[in-house]
Amino acid sequence: MKNIGKFSVAVLLLFGLTSAANAQVTEAQTPQFGIKGGANFSNLYTDDVDDNNVLTSFNAGIYTTFPLNDFIAIQPELLYSRKGSELVYDNAFASGTAKFKLNYIELPVLLKINLAKNLNIHAGPYFAYLVDAQITNESDSGSFDFEENYDNDDFNKFDTGIAAGVGIDLDKVGIGLRYNYGLSTVGKERTVGGQTYTIPDGKNSNLSLYLTLQLN
């Protein structure tokens, strides 16, 4: 119930911000509605973000842009986004590839600044809810399998972080690049052999390349 309460607060905050933005919009500054989607290049980090173990996946969803004036707008989005990591291992016991696929419903609330007619930068917080976690392992020997040791209860349901990016708007079509920096640990604590671990002991790091299509 506590987690549900946190998610409800996030949703209420989203609608509160969009309502406030809508109240300040003039007739010439019409809200824009559209769809978007693209590719994710994600990883799990502990102390530093690196380029190892990148999982290539996807994101898709809808967005609304509420202009405050000609230069600034608030843009909330509702996305389905797959994040996670790909781990390639090779040691004396086994070799193979393990994939952590974490499927989120994500709510970014972004401040969008138009630097030029077709160029913008945007940044803001995001809130995400874990819908499903899929763990796969492909061992070269076929004898080192651990998928059955993980299920959805081993992962935290909520993720929060900071999103920032740049976009190019060309009439009804746009393209953008955005980075999400997670602030919440993905895995929960587990007790194995009498010792407590957090597996996976990492936070989401995700680079998205996306296209947008304005519908109004």
Side-chain angles (χ1 to χ4, degrees):
M1 291 299 293
K2 184 178 180 181
N3 286 338
I4 294 175
K6 291 180 179 179
F7 190 62
S8 299
V9 170
V11 172
L12 289 174
L13 177 61
L14 171 67
F15 283 102
L17 288 173
T18 54
S19 297
N22 194 30
Q24 301 180 51
V25 174
T26 66
E27 292 184 0
Q29 297 164 347
T30 305
Q32 300 172 358
F33 305 92
I35 58 176
K36 61 178 301 186
N40 280 352
F41 306 95
S42 60
N43 195 1
L44 297 176
Y45 76 93
T46 51
D47 296 324
D48 300 314
V49 179
D50 58 42
D51 295 328
N52 296 326
N53 308 326
V54 172
L55 175 72
T56 302
S57 195
F58 68 95
N59 64 86
I62 58 177
Y63 70 91
T64 304
T65 303
F66 295 94
L68 301 181
N69 53 47
D70 292 337
F71 304 101
I72 300 176
I74 291 178
Q75 181 169 299
E77 301 177 355
L78 180 62
L79 308 173
Y80 184 90
S81 183
R82 173 174 288 177
K83 302 179 182 180
S85 181
E86 179 176 301
L87 173 63
V88 178
Y89 57 90
D90 187 2
N91 53 52
F93 301 99
S95 61
T97 302
K99 295 181 180 180
F100 292 82
K101 301 176 183 179
L102 308 177
N103 302 308
Y104 290 96
I105 297 295
E106 189 173 295
L107 297 169
V109 182
L110 307 168
L111 180 66
K112 183 177 179 181
I113 301 175
N114 297 314
L115 300 179
K117 181 180 179 181
N118 301 115
L119 178 66
N120 73 79
I121 57 175
H122 51 268
Y126 76 81
F127 310 91
Y129 178 79
L130 181 66
V131 178
D132 184 44
Q134 301 172 1
I135 296 84
T136 61
N137 177 59
E138 298 176 3
S139 174
D140 293 343
S141 63
S143 60
F144 184 62
D145 298 319
F146 52 79
E147 295 98 327
E148 61 186 25
N149 295 327
Y150 289 89
D151 57 36
N152 289 340
D153 292 334
D154 294 317
F155 298 87
N156 287 313
K157 282 293 186 182
F158 289 89
D159 181 37
T160 58
I162 301 171
V166 59
I168 298 175
D169 300 314
L170 302 173
D171 196 14
K172 297 289 186 179
V173 179
I175 184 172
L177 186 67
R178 180 183 302 167
Y179 178 66
N180 282 14
Y181 184 80
L183 300 177
S184 303
T185 302
V186 169
K188 292 182 178 179
E189 287 188 350
R190 310 176 76 206
T191 300
V192 180
Q195 296 187 3
T196 300
Y197 301 90
T198 301
I199 305 173
D201 184 15
K203 302 174 184 178
N204 282 308
S205 170
N206 184 65
L207 183 67
S208 298
L209 177 64
Y210 61 86
L211 295 173
T212 63
L213 176 62
Q214 184 181 331
L215 300 179
N216 66 330

